[in-house]
Amino acid sequence: MTVNECKNYLKSWSFRKIDFFNRKSVMPSSDFTPEEEVLRREEESRTFRLIDRLPVKYKEVLWLHYYAELSVKEIGDILKCPANTVKTRLARGRKMARLTMGEEEIDDAKEY
């Protein structure tokens, strides 16, 4: 019974969420001018905030695909789900991020 409970915990979203966030790494800096670096960091910060608003199952797939540059198959292996599920989550996550991005741009425009 204890073994099964441990296996269930390792499959749970709460454990995977912690494991996912522990795997994050800071993106390496490259040869940008100071102005370009500031603009790039602002854009990254905005993108991170948008992705952070998404549900965990979309957030982790987007992060692994775009920032860790893993293939759909590799993401499926990590998350222990089929490749088609990863593709679906990528598509839905992109769509949700676009909708969120549009809402944020509207809110920013209202502030000015």
Side-chain angles (χ1 to χ4, degrees):
M1 191 166 83
T2 304
V3 171
N4 287 336
E5 284 300 314
C6 290
K7 286 180 180 180
N8 288 339
Y9 176 74
L10 293 175
K11 286 191 271 184
S12 71
W13 277 107
S14 60
F15 175 77
R16 288 175 49 193
K17 181 174 142 182
I18 292 168
D19 188 39
F20 169 72
F21 285 112
N22 288 339
R23 291 182 188 183
K24 275 191 192 181
S25 64
V26 178
M27 303 276 295
S29 181
S30 60
D31 299 325
F32 290 111
T33 64
E35 294 85 9
E36 291 172 336
E37 186 68 29
V38 168
L39 291 174
R40 186 181 67 80
R41 285 189 184 175
E42 285 178 6
E43 184 63 30
E44 270 185 16
S45 170
R46 183 169 170 258
T47 305
F48 289 147
R49 282 193 318 267
L50 289 173
I51 291 175
D52 198 40
R53 291 181 185 173
L54 299 176
V56 174
K57 65 182 182 179
Y58 302 119
K59 184 187 324 185
E60 65 186 0
V61 171
L62 288 171
W63 180 265
L64 291 171
H65 185 71
Y66 289 107
Y67 294 105
E69 297 179 358
L70 297 176
S71 70
V72 171
K73 183 182 180 320
E74 292 170 330
I75 295 170
D77 291 341
I78 290 171
L79 300 178
K80 295 177 181 58
C81 63
N84 286 334
T85 302
V86 173
K87 290 178 188 178
T88 302
R89 288 180 184 177
L90 273 171
R92 289 179 183 167
R94 285 184 198 121
K95 184 177 180 180
M96 291 173 78
R98 263 186 253 127
L99 292 174
T100 306
M101 189 177 288
E103 292 168 2
E104 186 174 281
E105 289 171 355
I106 291 169
D107 291 341
D108 289 345
K110 289 179 184 177
E111 291 177 9
Y112 294 107

